[in-house]
């Protein structure tokens, strides 16, 4: 797997160049199907797919290197659901083919590239029956990285930290927020549950605040507005 091989090569190159600090992009997927939310960093990790396995292997490798002083500082950052784009609309995401993730799918419904959003299940044990996630704006995520790097340089420590807002948002809440933020209507159809999906999944992000002095500032409407600004620009639509 490129994740693992690439990380090993990077760690080797770091050693050769005497670079001793690393910030690693991990994922909340390492918690698998958690017992409950909000999720804390000391919850058990569970491997449920290959992607989750690769993230856990790399986290373990980095923690081992830190423990044996081959690295002086490391931050394993467990992202929840990163969405949005830079507000300049100069940096964003363009998944290949049909998007798997909710926000890129919604933005493509808004441009007319897709007729409607399939809502994967509305009979979950959540307030409106649709899946709940902890969406985090990529700009907040980027700021957390800069602060994490400062923290591990200043303290020479190895830390494992959740990055989320701590707010759970359902699929239908996100759709409504998108409509409010952009003035575009998103047609939805209820579809069967997607295999492997968890009902509700959100962070307790308190450790990031304690260690880095970081807290997410942008809300779901900000995420929708910036995701749309990016997608609209790509589609040649001038409306924000
Ligand atoms: N989802 C949906 N329709 C889609 C894509 C996603 O209803 O076309 C739902 C999905 O079931 C989940 C939430 O949106 O409850 C977030 O899904 P995503 O794939 O973005 O993130 P993940 O499931 O990996 O947390």
């Amino acid at each position: 797997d490129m994740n693992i091989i690439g990380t090993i090569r990077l760690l080797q190159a770091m050693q050769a160049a005497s670079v001793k600090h690393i910030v690693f992009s991990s994922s909340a997927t390492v918690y698998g199907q958690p017992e409950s939310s909000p999720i804390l960093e000391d919850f058990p990790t569970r491997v449920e797919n290959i992607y989750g396995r690769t993230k856990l292997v790399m986290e373990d490798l980095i923690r081992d290197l830190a423990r044996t002083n081959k690295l002086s500082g490391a931050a394993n950052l467990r992202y929840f659901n990163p969405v949005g784009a830079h507000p300049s609309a100069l940096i964003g995401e363009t998944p290949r083919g049909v998007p798997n993730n909710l926000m890129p799918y919604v933005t493509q419904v808004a441009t007319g590239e897709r007729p409607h959003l399939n809502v994967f299940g509305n009979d979950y044990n959540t307030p409106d029956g649709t899946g709940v996630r902890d969406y985090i704006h990529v700009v907040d995520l980027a700021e957390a990285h800069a602060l994490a790097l400062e923290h591990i340089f200043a303290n020479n420590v190895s830390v494992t930290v959740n990055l989320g807002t701590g707010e759970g948002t359902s699929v239908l809440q996100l759709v409504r927020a998108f409509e409010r933020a952009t003035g575009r209507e998103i047609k939805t159809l209820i579809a069967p549950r997607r295999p492997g999906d968890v009902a509700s999944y959100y962070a307790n992000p308190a450790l990031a605040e304690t260690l880095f002095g970081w807290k997410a500032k942008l809300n779901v409407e900000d995420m929708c507005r910036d995701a749309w600004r990016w997608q609209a620009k790509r589609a040649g639509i001038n409306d924000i």
Side-chain angles (χ1 to χ4, degrees):
D1 175 87
M2 236 356 258
N3 270 349
I4 294 179
I5 294 165
T7 304
I8 290 172
R9 293 272 178 263
L10 176 67
L11 290 164
Q12 286 173 331
M14 286 171 64
Q15 203 158 14
S18 300
V19 174
K20 297 207 170 275
H21 295 80
I22 188 168
V23 173
F24 175 62
S25 302
S26 188
S27 167
T29 193
V30 298
Y31 297 112
Q33 305 245 357
E35 304 278 300
S36 61
S37 279
I39 298 169
L40 278 163
E41 288 82 352
D42 61 3
F43 276 29
T45 54
R46 298 189 171 90
V47 170
E48 277 160 22
N49 54 51
I50 301 215
Y51 178 72
R53 168 70 73 195
T54 68
K55 290 291 179 190
L56 207 51
V57 166
M58 294 180 284
E59 276 197 10
D60 285 338
L61 200 59
I62 288 166
R63 273 190 292 267
D64 288 347
L65 291 170
R67 207 168 14 240
T68 54
N69 293 317
K70 296 202 171 65
L71 286 171
S72 307
N76 285 308
L77 303 181
R78 294 177 172 167
Y79 304 175
F80 277 68
N81 286 56
V83 296
H86 193 268
S88 64
L90 293 172
I91 315 172
E93 65 175 326
T94 303
R96 281 189 212 111
V98 182
N100 282 314
N101 296 118
L102 179 61
M103 185 70 92
Y105 206 103
V106 168
T107 61
Q108 292 192 12
V109 174
T111 60
E113 288 160 86
R114 315 223 168 255
H116 63 264
L117 171 73
N118 292 304
V119 176
F120 296 148
N122 69 346
D123 56 355
Y124 283 108
N125 183 19
T126 60
D128 65 19
T130 65
V132 167
R133 295 290 183 275
D134 186 339
Y135 299 96
I136 174 168
H137 195 297
V138 290
V139 169
D140 274 327
L141 202 65
E143 278 168 11
H145 286 63
L147 293 170
L149 197 56
E150 279 175 26
H151 178 78
I152 62 171
F153 272 132
N155 301 293
N156 287 326
V157 284
S158 164
V159 296
T160 299
V161 182
N162 287 340
L163 294 182
T165 62
E167 296 262 336
T169 302
S170 76
V171 175
L172 291 178
Q173 283 174 327
L174 185 132
V175 167
R176 299 287 103 83
F178 189 93
E179 292 180 330
R180 280 196 304 276
T182 68
R184 297 240 152 191
E185 195 194 331
I186 302 300
K187 193 163 179 277
T188 57
L189 287 182
I190 305 302
R193 290 184 180 193
R194 184 170 63 178
D197 270 3
V198 186
S200 183
Y201 208 90
Y202 55 94
N204 178 331
L207 184 62
E209 187 170 10
T210 306
L211 295 180
F212 310 151
W214 173 87
K215 221 179 156 161
K217 296 187 202 84
L218 300 168
N219 64 28
V220 172
E221 284 192 39
D222 298 321
M223 302 176 208
C224 292
R225 183 201 58 226
D226 292 336
W228 173 238
R229 197 175 276 163
W230 160 257
Q231 188 67 23
K233 189 178 156 204
R234 289 188 56 254
I237 299 167
N238 275 318
D239 79 353
I240 320 196

